[in-house]
């Protein structure tokens, strides 16, 4: 059941169209900005250990119940209006994207040493003493000769990834120095991709646009939230055979300054063609805390990730910006698309709403850490303001800890669907070559001892609906959250035509 729910969550995960072929789609969190205490291991100098929470970044998703697509054609189907054409704007000039870091040579004896250290760290620290049923000694016997025979650095790092994948927990992983460098650039906001600046979900009709990078090329070309992309360069979006294994994302992305033609439909309007010029799009264009004030003085805060530098300060600024407009009658915090991030940033964010206390603990074979909330950081204007949190299958890791912790503290009501149940926290070990091991060492428990792994956060008010199909202010789960807060007048005003 746990695997089925995780598969469904991944199937609905957002596709990032501002992407490039070099992006490592990871399923673990990223390095803490400051080093944590050193953890001793065997086989050489100690690796640096850092406590992390796993996250699930966007993964290309299959089409949901597609109908057989028509053959690629520039001619519209009979009975359907021909799309109107928009002329291509002049192509600007862009600075080249930074090159992908290359792998430095690693001597055979150093590879063997890294292998031994990785294997030993897992043996001594993995959260499950039976390694999830895996014979870890047999794994060592199998991989030792394969590591010794690895032909180059790429082959070696591929073997190390395979080694950790044997644990089968969908959290732990091994990263090459190249992947580590890219993820560190992502955290700093330095990582850019050639694309159009849009996030989509694959639906029956095509690609549903859920988010646009503010001021990005897609938005400037006329793409709107909730538009459906019907075709890319004349090829139907759902024609998986035409796009190949890379899917439509492989065609939308490309070199900055080059055009891509999208056939787009807004609601029931006739389709139209838009020419979008690709640009370098920073990954953090989508990783922004967003706030809006609804009629009735109800605030909505979207937290897309806990993998954002100074996230708690940005949430504070967003809330205080709403309070500057009007005293709030209620606040809805949306973490339905939040796949996790740093545990310390999550705790600091809880502290904005609740003064001190504990949201539970993270426990492993030799670790039992209280997840204490800092005191003295609450936002003054939120005193007595009711809070609701929106969750769903894509809510994972630190975002689940946030929602579950706020629920356990009695500070928030939770609305939506059960979260991913993916709360094993990772510890990071960095090696001399720049590679890194992320291994699950603890699992999160609520204050009453309830384990969220495989269970998820259970909403106080469940509502099974494809919320992302609706205009933001007509979102059924948002309206249910307002009702849960007792703001019936606000519900009527927001939902009115």
């Amino acid at each position: 059941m746990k695997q089925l729910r995780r598969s469904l969550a991944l199937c609905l995960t957002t596709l990032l169209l501002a992407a490039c072929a070099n992006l490592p789609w990871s399923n673990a969190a990223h390095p803490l900005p400051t080093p944590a205490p050193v953890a001793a291991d065997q086989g050489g100098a100690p690796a640096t250990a850092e406590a992390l929470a796993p996250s699930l970044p966007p993964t290309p998703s299959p089409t949901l119940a597609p109908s057989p697509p028509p053959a690629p054609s520039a001619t519209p189907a009979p009975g359907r209006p021909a799309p109107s054409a928009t002329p291509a704007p002049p192509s600007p000039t862009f600075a080249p994207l930074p090159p992908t870091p290359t792998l430095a040579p690693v001597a055979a004896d150093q590879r063997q040493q890294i292998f031994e250290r990785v294997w030993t760290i897992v043996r001594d620290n993995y959260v499950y003493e039976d390694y999830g049923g895996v014979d870890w000694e047999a794994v060592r016997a199998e991989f030792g000769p394969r590591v010794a025979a690895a032909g180059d650095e790429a082959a070696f790092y591929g073997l190390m990834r395979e080694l950790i994948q044997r644990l089968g927990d969908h959290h732990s992983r091994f990263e090459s120095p190249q992947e580590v460098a890219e993820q560190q650039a992502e955290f700093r906001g330095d990582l850019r991709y050639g694309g159009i600046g849009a996030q989509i979900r694959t639906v029956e009709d095509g690609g549903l646009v859920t988010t646009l990078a503010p001021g990005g090329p897609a938005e400037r070309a006329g793409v709107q939230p909730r538009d459906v992309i019907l075709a890319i360069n004349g090829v139907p979006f759902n024609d998986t055979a035409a796009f190949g294994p890379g899917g439509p994302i492989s065609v939308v992305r490309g070199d900055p300054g080059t055009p891509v033609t999208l056939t787009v439909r807004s609601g029931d309007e006739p389709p139209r063609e838009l020419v979008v010029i690709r640009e370098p799009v920073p990954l953090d264009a989508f990783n922004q805390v967003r706030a809006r004030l609804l009629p009735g003085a109800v605030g909505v805060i979207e937290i897309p990730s806990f993998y954002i530098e100074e996230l708690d300060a940005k949430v504070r600024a967003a809330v205080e910006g709403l309070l500057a407009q009007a005293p709030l009658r209620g606040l809805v915090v949306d973490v339905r698309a939040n796949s996790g991030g740093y545990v310390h940033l999550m705790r600091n964010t809880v502290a904005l709403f609740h003064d001190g206390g504990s949201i539970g603990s993270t426990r492993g074979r030799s670790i039992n850490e209280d997840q204490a909330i800092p005191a003295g950081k609450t936002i003054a204007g939120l005193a007595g303001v009711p809070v609701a949190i929106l969750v769903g299958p894509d809510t994972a890791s630190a975002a689940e800890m946030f929602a579950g912790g706020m629920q356990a503290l009695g500070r928030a009501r939770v609305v939506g669907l059960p979260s991913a149940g993916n709360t094993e926290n990772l510890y990071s070990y960095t090696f001399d070559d720049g590679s890194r091991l992320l291994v699950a060492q603890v699992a999160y428990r609520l204050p009453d001892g309830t384990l969220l792994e495989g269970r998820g956060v259970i909403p106080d008010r469940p509502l099974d609906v494809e919320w992302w199909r609706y205009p933001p202010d007509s979102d059924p789960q948002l309206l249910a959250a307002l009702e849960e807060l007792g703001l019936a007048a606000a519900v009527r005003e927001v939902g009115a035509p």
Side-chain angles (χ1 to χ4, degrees):
M1 190 68 180
K2 170 183 174 182
Q3 182 61 38
L4 174 61
R5 195 163 72 195
R6 179 175 285 113
S7 298
L8 290 173
L10 286 176
C11 184
L12 292 175
T13 293
T14 305
L15 290 175
L16 181 61
L17 291 186
C20 71
N22 296 324
L23 177 63
W25 296 114
S26 63
N27 67 346
H30 310 278
L32 288 175
T34 54
V38 169
D41 65 80
Q42 299 178 6
T48 301
E50 300 167 345
L52 307 167
S55 65
L56 297 170
T59 303
S61 60
T63 301
L64 302 181
S67 56
S73 172
T75 304
R80 300 180 65 178
S84 57
T86 300
S91 298
T93 301
F94 300 102
L97 295 172
T100 301
T102 56
L103 295 176
V106 181
D109 59 344
Q110 188 179 8
R111 295 180 196 170
Q112 191 66 32
Q113 188 179 69
I114 292 171
F115 162 69
E116 292 291 343
R117 293 169 66 191
V118 167
W119 183 89
T120 302
I121 289 168
V122 173
R123 182 196 66 185
D124 296 343
N125 298 282
Y126 190 56
V127 62
Y128 305 115
E129 291 191 67
D130 66 350
Y131 310 101
V134 176
D135 186 338
W136 199 237
E137 291 288 346
V139 168
R140 181 183 189 178
E142 174 191 347
F143 275 82
R146 296 176 65 188
V147 167
D152 56 22
E153 286 72 29
F156 166 67
Y157 292 128
L159 283 171
M160 299 307 294
R161 292 188 198 96
E162 183 183 346
L163 172 74
I164 300 304
Q165 287 168 359
R166 289 291 179 89
L167 294 171
D169 63 18
H170 302 283
H171 305 168
S172 303
R173 72 185 203 135
F174 184 90
E175 297 175 334
S176 70
Q178 184 182 64
E179 292 166 326
V180 173
E182 289 177 348
Q183 292 194 12
Q184 289 173 342
E186 177 186 342
F187 178 74
R188 295 191 305 267
D190 296 339
L191 201 58
R192 300 181 300 156
Y193 309 101
I196 67 170
Q199 289 180 315
I200 71 166
R201 287 175 180 264
T202 299
V203 296
E204 292 87 348
D205 297 340
L208 180 71
V209 177
T210 59
T211 309
L212 292 169
E219 183 179 74
R220 297 200 312 273
V223 179
Q224 305 170 37
R226 305 305 186 264
D227 278 354
V228 176
I229 300 175
L230 303 174
I232 303 168
N233 292 334
V235 180
F237 186 93
N238 287 334
D239 191 344
T240 54
F243 289 118
I249 191 173
S250 65
V251 178
V252 174
R253 69 190 180 205
D255 293 333
T258 59
V260 60
T261 301
L262 306 179
T263 305
V264 176
R265 186 182 67 219
S266 298
D268 295 328
E269 297 178 5
R272 64 191 189 278
E273 283 190 353
L274 300 175
V275 178
V276 185
I277 303 300
R278 301 179 180 96
E279 294 181 7
V281 179
L283 188 63
D284 64 358
F286 303 101
N287 238 8
Q288 301 290 331
V289 176
R290 294 180 173 88
R292 67 185 192 275
L293 189 66
L294 302 180
V298 179
V300 179
I301 298 287
E302 297 178 38
I303 305 178
S305 173
F306 286 101
Y307 181 53
I308 301 174
E309 193 168 14
E310 298 181 343
L311 182 277
D312 52 320
K314 293 176 180 178
V315 173
R316 176 184 290 276
V319 173
E320 290 177 344
L322 294 176
L323 289 168
Q325 299 178 57
L328 295 180
R329 296 175 56 198
L331 181 68
V332 179
V333 182
D334 189 349
V335 293
R336 289 175 295 186
N338 188 319
S339 59
Y342 294 149
V343 172
H344 74 288
L345 291 177
M346 176 275 300
R347 291 195 303 256
N348 290 346
T349 304
V350 173
L352 303 177
F353 305 95
H354 190 277
D355 192 26
S358 172
I359 60 168
S361 62
T362 46
R363 306 178 195 175
R365 288 160 63 179
S366 59
I367 300 171
N368 187 349
E369 181 182 359
D370 178 38
Q371 292 298 321
I373 303 304
K377 296 182 178 293
T378 54
I379 299 173
L382 289 182
V385 175
V387 177
I389 299 176
L390 300 178
V391 302
D394 294 334
T395 306
S397 182
E400 296 182 86
M401 296 173 69
F402 172 78
M406 289 277 284
Q407 184 184 48
L409 290 169
R411 186 61 184 95
R413 303 287 289 173
V414 176
V415 176
L417 290 172
S419 62
N422 175 12
T423 58
E424 291 166 344
N425 287 194
L426 305 179
Y427 276 63
S428 173
Y429 296 84
T430 301
F431 304 105
D432 292 341
D433 66 330
S435 64
R436 180 169 61 188
L437 168 67
L438 296 153
V439 61
Q441 290 190 207
V442 296
Y444 171 63
R445 294 177 183 271
L446 295 170
D448 66 0
T450 300
L451 184 69
L452 284 193
E453 183 68 25
R455 169 187 181 270
V457 178
I458 306 302
D460 298 297
R461 179 165 177 172
L463 182 58
D464 189 354
V465 64
E466 293 179 329
W467 58 271
W468 33 269
R469 290 186 181 271
Y470 294 82
D473 290 346
S474 299
D475 177 346
Q477 291 181 346
L478 171 61
L479 300 180
L482 297 179
E483 289 179 344
E484 193 71 15
L485 296 178
L487 300 172
V491 171
R492 288 194 295 270
E493 195 168 354
V494 172

